[in-house]
């Protein structure tokens, strides 16, 4: 085992797999071998890599600290005083008392040293020159219905980094929503049913995330006009049953206040906690996209599955428009402007069945029972909290079902 070796460049894939397993056993948090490789620089990234807060907390806990913030506070003091970063002695003693002097036990202790090395490297890269940069984002009323005014607090902004002009929040809503902080408490007006993951950042780096859930009353349908970020247009429907979504006409959209001669989008949302795990599930639905009409040539449809920690998202669109295709499964995201997403180019104007099957982070997408795409992501997103289906123009959904796998 190379865990005790300072030459981590010589570690093999099996070493990272073993470390990932040991960390999960100790902390109940899965950190994939690829994530560990990114932290160590084994896998190169286009930008400076910063692990998510849950990953940082898990590494800190494994190393013997309560969480990442405690480690940062200790690291700040030790770096300023040129003291080596060490495992808290009490917690090392606890581990030694709980394991026998066997080969697996030595692996565990060696892995603790490796986790510390990982943290030390991360601190050197990201913290040593700006140890006072801190901040956490907290929403006081994270669950509501549409519309919803979410009240946020920013905590733990200390020292020189409390200069708010360097902090920003991206509220991750359908409209342009990134703004510079002016105060440590503020509100944001969310309008569409859905699950949102606002991000707090400092300069070019994300610091923390929160979650805001706008539950729906059965199926809710809302229209948006292209280039209009000031308002949305709720369409009057009554559809309390998930298996019987509403059918919406152009006339109903017009009476909601939308100029149907312009480009508009129609959102069908069902947002309620389901008890289904979004990483082990199957969702099936019949989709019929808009025929050609003013403002509609590509007949796109977007399907979003909301999880506790992130979302899955796909765009299906006519083949000639596949440069507008897009998909996102947890941390894995691709865009048709940069990537070859011709697999998502399909004409659904006559209506077709779409099925998304996810098993242990493996994704399979089927069109009329024919597999058109598969991929794998790393970070589980937790329980399924709802869905949103958005059409360019008028579209129709029918026979939606979801099941646990």
């Amino acid at each position: 085992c190379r865990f005790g070796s300072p030459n981590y460049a010589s570690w093999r894939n099996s070493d990272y797999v073993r470390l990932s397993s040991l960390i999960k056993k100790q902390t109940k948090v899965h950190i994939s071998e690829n994530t560990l490789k990114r932290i160590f620089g084994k896998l190169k990234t286009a930008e400076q890599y910063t692990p998510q807060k849950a990953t940082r907390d898990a590494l800190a806990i494994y190393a013997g600290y309560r969480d990442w913030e405690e480690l940062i506070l200790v690291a700040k003091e030790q770096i300023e005083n040129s003291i080596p970063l060490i495992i808290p002695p009490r917690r090392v003693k606890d581990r030694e008392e709980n394991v026998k002097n066997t080969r697996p036990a030595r692996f565990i202790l060696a892995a603790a040293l490796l986790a510390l090395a990982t943290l030390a490297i991360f601190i050197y890269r990201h913290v040593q020159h700006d140890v006072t940069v801190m901040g956490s984002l907290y929403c006081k009323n994270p669950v509501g219905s549409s519309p919803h005014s979410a009240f946020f607090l920013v905590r733990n902004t200390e020292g020189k980094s409390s200069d708010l002009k360097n902090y920003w929040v991206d509220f991750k809503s359908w409209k342009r929503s990134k703004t510079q902080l002016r105060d440590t408490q503020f509100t944001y007006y969310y309008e569409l049913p859905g699950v949102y993951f606002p991000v707090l950042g400092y300069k070019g780096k994300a610091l923390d995330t929160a979650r805001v859930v706008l539950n729906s009353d059965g199926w809710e349908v809302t229209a948006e006009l292209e280039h209009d970020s000031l308002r949305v247009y709720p369409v009057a429907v009554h559809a309390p049953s998930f298996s019987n979504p509403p059918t919406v006409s152009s006339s109903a959209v017009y009476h909601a206040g939308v100029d149907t001669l312009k480009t508009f989008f129609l959102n069908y949302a069902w947002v309620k906690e389901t008890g289904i795990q979004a990483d082990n599930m199957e969702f099936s639905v019949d989709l019929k996209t808009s025929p050609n009409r003013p403002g509609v040539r590509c007949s796109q449809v977007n399907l979003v599955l909301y999880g506790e920690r992130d979302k899955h998202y796909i765009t299906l669109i006519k083949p000639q428009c596949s440069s507008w295709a897009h998909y996102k499964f947890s941390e894995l995201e691709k865009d048709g402007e940069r990537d070859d997403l011709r697999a998502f180019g399909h004409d659904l104007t006559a209506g077709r069945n779409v099925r998304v099957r996810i098993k242990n982070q493996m994704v399979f997408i089927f069109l009329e029972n024919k597999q058109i795409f598969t991929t794998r992501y790393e970070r589980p997103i937790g329980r399924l909290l709802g869905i949103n289906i958005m059409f360019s123009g008028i579209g129709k959904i029918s026979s939606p079902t979801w099941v646990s796998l």
Side-chain angles (χ1 to χ4, degrees):
C1 178
R2 298 175 178 78
F3 286 174
S5 169
N7 184 21
Y8 56 85
S10 67
W11 293 340
R12 297 175 181 172
N13 186 68
S14 59
D15 298 316
Y16 291 100
V17 171
R18 175 68 65 85
L19 177 60
S20 173
S21 175
L22 292 172
I23 292 173
K24 183 175 182 179
K25 183 176 181 180
Q26 179 72 27
T27 69
K28 311 302 182 188
V29 175
H30 175 67
I31 303 176
S32 73
E33 59 270 24
N34 284 338
T35 296
L36 292 170
K37 289 176 183 177
R38 291 188 188 98
I39 292 171
F40 273 82
K42 187 79 170 180
L43 286 181
K44 303 301 181 184
T45 57
E47 299 177 354
Q48 190 178 48
Y49 179 67
T50 302
Q52 283 194 330
K53 186 176 185 298
T55 300
R56 302 197 303 268
D57 282 342
L59 288 169
I61 291 167
Y62 193 85
Y65 296 87
R66 283 192 295 270
D67 55 24
W68 178 253
E69 288 187 1
E70 183 188 58
L71 185 142
I72 290 297
L73 291 173
V74 173
K76 175 184 175 183
E77 178 181 353
Q78 293 175 345
I79 289 171
E80 288 175 349
N81 294 284
S82 300
I83 302 172
L85 186 62
I86 59 171
I87 301 176
R90 174 181 58 79
R91 293 166 193 171
V92 172
K93 184 175 183 293
D94 291 342
R95 288 184 188 172
E96 291 172 344
E97 290 174 352
N98 289 330
V99 295
K100 296 179 181 179
N101 189 25
T102 61
R103 193 165 183 258
R106 291 196 298 272
F107 282 158
I108 292 173
L109 292 176
L113 295 175
L114 176 60
L116 272 179
T118 301
L119 290 166
I121 293 167
F122 180 82
I123 290 168
Y124 179 78
R125 290 177 177 173
H126 301 278
V127 180
Q128 186 172 9
H129 301 296
D130 198 8
V131 294
T132 61
V133 174
M134 286 196 246
S136 59
L137 184 64
Y138 172 70
C139 182
K140 295 185 68 175
N141 57 336
V143 180
S145 57
S146 175
H148 181 63
S149 293
F151 188 86
F152 293 96
L153 297 174
V154 174
R155 297 171 170 173
N156 302 327
T157 53
E158 300 177 359
K160 66 181 181 182
S161 295
S162 61
D163 184 359
L164 294 181
K165 70 180 181 180
N166 291 316
Y167 284 86
W168 49 265
V169 175
D170 187 346
F171 295 101
K172 296 295 183 179
S173 76
W174 63 278
K175 53 190 175 183
R176 293 177 184 175
S177 56
K178 188 172 180 179
T179 185
Q180 182 182 22
L181 273 186
R182 294 186 176 88
D183 202 345
T184 56
Q185 58 182 28
F186 44 87
T187 64
Y188 187 79
Y189 183 67
Y190 288 99
E191 298 184 78
L192 295 174
V195 182
Y196 302 90
F197 300 95
V199 177
L200 171 70
Y202 178 81
K203 294 184 178 178
K205 183 171 68 174
L207 298 178
D208 197 17
T209 61
R211 185 180 73 212
V212 179
V213 180
L214 274 64
N215 287 314
S216 64
D217 181 14
W219 283 102
E220 292 189 18
V221 181
T222 312
E224 312 164 43
L225 277 169
E226 188 179 33
H227 307 308
D228 182 357
S229 61
L230 297 179
R231 62 169 297 183
V232 297
Y233 302 83
V235 180
V237 297
H238 178 70
S241 171
F242 176 72
S243 59
N244 292 297
T247 298
V248 175
S249 65
S250 294
S251 176
V253 176
Y254 176 79
H255 283 97
V258 175
D259 183 349
T260 54
L261 294 179
K262 295 182 178 180
T263 301
F264 66 90
F265 303 93
L266 208 56
N267 293 275
Y268 291 76
W270 179 283
V271 185
K272 293 182 181 179
E273 188 173 326
T274 65
I276 295 173
Q277 292 296 317
D279 307 294
N280 286 283
M281 63 164 292
E282 184 173 278
F283 175 69
S284 174
V285 65
D286 293 335
L287 298 176
K288 185 176 182 179
T289 56
S290 173
N292 285 346
R293 55 172 302 280
V296 176
R297 291 195 299 172
C298 293
S299 298
Q300 79 182 66
V301 58
N302 300 340
L303 170 62
V304 183
L305 300 172
Y306 296 115
E308 292 178 282
R309 294 182 287 276
D310 210 329
K311 64 185 178 182
H312 304 319
Y313 173 106
I314 64 171
T315 297
L316 296 172
I317 198 164
K318 285 183 177 179
Q320 58 268 37
C321 303
S322 62
S323 64
W324 295 101
H326 188 99
Y327 76 77
K328 171 179 166 61
F329 294 100
S330 187
E331 83 289 342
L332 180 64
E333 189 168 6
K334 300 290 184 180
D335 191 308
E337 292 187 358
R338 299 185 301 271
D339 304 291
D340 183 358
L341 298 187
R342 287 176 293 174
F344 293 84
H346 298 275
D347 188 345
L348 275 61
T349 55
R352 303 181 81 175
N353 176 262
V354 177
R355 180 159 54 97
V356 179
R357 181 181 177 88
I358 304 173
K359 184 67 174 177
N360 297 327
Q361 286 94 265
M362 280 295 300
V363 180
F364 305 90
I365 300 177
F366 299 86
L367 205 61
E368 296 293 343
N369 290 321
K370 180 180 178 181
Q371 183 176 311
I372 63 169
F373 180 77
T374 185
T375 189
R376 178 179 177 83
Y377 60 93
E378 295 180 4
R379 295 200 303 263
I381 69 172
R383 290 172 299 170
L384 180 68
L385 301 184
I387 66 169
N388 186 86
I389 299 174
M390 189 199 79
F391 295 96
S392 175
I394 297 293
K396 182 179 180 180
I397 63 177
S398 56
S399 303
T401 61
W402 45 34
V403 295
S404 295
L405 296 179

